[in-house]
């Protein structure tokens, strides 16, 4: 059985990583439009680079939580494929083999000229003056507001193949990621793990687990393993 999982900030929050956008529209005290847009990069690349260097240090210090581990454990019995909105690498570090990052991954850098040119980062920082093979400044491998989401078509195709779909820790508020559930076959069971269930009234076969990611995954694993 193919289990397709879409994860959002809620699963990373339980590893101590702050959600991308707090209720006041700020991320770690910064207006997101000052640190997470191409225009911000053009205006003040040093600020943007420093901001993501700090976020990268937080990611590297974070540890995968039990929800990440449970998803990895499901691979013993199911064909599990994860699509994540998160820019951390906690799924991979927990042992998940098939992870598609919609918004990039902060532990890699990319060319300022060609987004598909990406590189591993040694340590936690990208320094100003570090260049890609084309001679352009390296920047975080992160999709900013206003940029295309290059992996969205790949993710949509993954969703069409789901025999079971799981949504964890996302409000379905940010597009195009929020539209991925539309690609899941209508007859497929859709489990939603979140303390606050997003608006999914128009979908069929929805089962809600109104818990945080760790407790919700414990419950879901029990359901799946008991048939």
């Amino acid at each position: 059985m193919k289990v397709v999982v879409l994860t959002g900030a809620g699963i990373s929050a339980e590893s101590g990583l702050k959600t991308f956008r707090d209720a006041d529209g700020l991320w770690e005290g910064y207006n997101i439009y000052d640190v997470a847009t191409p225009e911000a990069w053009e205006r003040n690349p040093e600020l943007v680079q420093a901001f993501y260097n700090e976020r990268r240090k937080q990611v590297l210090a974070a540890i995968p939580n039990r929800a990440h581990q449970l998803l990895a454990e499901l691979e013993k019995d199911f064909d599990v494929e994860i699509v994540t909105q998160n820019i951390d690498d906690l799924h991979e570090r927990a042992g998940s083999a098939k992870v598609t990052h919609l918004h990039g991954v902060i532990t890699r850098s990319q060319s300022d000229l060609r987004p598909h040119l990406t590189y591993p980062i040694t340590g936690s920082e990208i320094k100003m003056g570090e260049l890609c093979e084309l001679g352009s400044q390296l920047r975080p491998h992160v999709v900013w507001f206003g940029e295309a989401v290059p992996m969205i078509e790949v993710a949509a195709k993954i969703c069409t193949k789901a025999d079971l779909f799981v949504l964890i820790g996302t409000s379905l508020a940010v597009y195009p990621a929020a539209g991925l559930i539309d690609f899941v076959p209508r007859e497929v069971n859709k489990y939603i793990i979140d303390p606050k269930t997003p608006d999914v009234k128009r979908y069929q076969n929805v089962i809600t687990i109104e818990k945080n990611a760790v407790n919700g995954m414990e419950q879901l694993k029990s359901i799946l393993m008991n048939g």
Side-chain angles (χ1 to χ4, degrees):
M1 180 168 70
K2 187 170 190 69
V3 179
V4 175
V5 186
L6 174 61
T7 65
I11 193 169
S12 295
E14 293 189 61
S15 289
L17 297 178
K18 289 196 175 181
T19 54
F20 183 76
R21 192 201 302 236
D22 293 327
D24 56 7
L26 301 179
W27 185 17
E28 297 281 4
Y30 289 83
N31 185 306
I32 57 172
Y33 296 105
D34 290 333
V35 291
T37 65
E39 293 78 16
W41 177 249
E42 287 181 19
R43 279 195 312 269
N44 194 340
E46 291 83 4
L47 171 67
V48 174
Q49 198 80 278
F51 176 82
Y52 282 94
N53 284 342
E54 284 302 311
R55 304 293 77 73
R56 192 175 300 106
K57 289 174 186 175
Q58 292 175 356
V59 166
L60 292 173
I63 297 171
N65 61 59
R66 186 62 183 143
H68 293 108
Q69 293 165 356
L70 287 165
L71 285 172
E73 288 172 14
L74 284 181
E75 293 185 14
K76 298 172 188 172
D77 299 283
F78 305 100
D79 176 12
V80 181
E81 195 144 4
I82 296 171
V83 176
T84 186
Q85 296 171 256
N86 301 330
I87 59 173
D88 58 68
D89 62 347
L90 295 178
H91 284 301
E92 287 91 341
R93 283 198 268 146
S96 289
K98 291 190 279 189
V99 184
T100 297
H101 284 268
L102 284 174
H103 300 140
V105 59
I106 197 170
T107 51
R108 294 186 71 83
S109 64
Q110 75 179 51
S111 166
D112 190 26
L113 285 177
R114 298 283 185 270
H116 66 278
L117 290 177
T118 73
Y119 309 88
I121 297 170
T122 302
S124 63
E125 294 191 356
I126 305 172
K127 294 180 174 62
M128 299 306 295
E130 285 190 67
L131 308 179
C132 76
E133 61 207 65
L134 302 176
S136 175
Q137 173 63 46
L138 289 174
R139 52 162 271 192
H141 178 44
V142 173
V143 176
W144 289 328
F145 284 93
E147 292 186 320
V149 180
M151 297 303 291
I152 194 67
E153 290 183 7
V154 173
K157 189 172 183 180
I158 292 168
C159 288
T160 65
K161 298 177 180 177
D163 298 311
L164 185 141
F165 181 75
V166 185
L167 186 76
I168 307 175
T170 176
S171 61
L172 293 180
V174 177
Y175 283 85
L180 288 173
I181 191 172
D182 293 320
F183 291 89
V184 179
R186 184 176 299 180
E187 69 277 6
V188 165
N189 283 342
K190 303 164 186 72
Y191 285 89
I192 298 181
I193 299 172
D194 201 287
K196 185 178 179 182
T197 302
D199 182 10
V200 288
K201 295 185 184 70
R202 67 184 183 277
Y203 300 106
Q204 295 181 346
N205 302 313
V206 171
I207 302 104
T208 59
I209 300 176
E210 292 196 332
K211 296 181 178 180
N212 62 20
V214 170
N215 293 330
M217 270 305 303
E218 293 277 13
Q219 183 174 331
L220 178 63
K221 187 177 182 185
S222 177
I223 291 168
L224 295 181
M225 299 314 294
N226 292 321

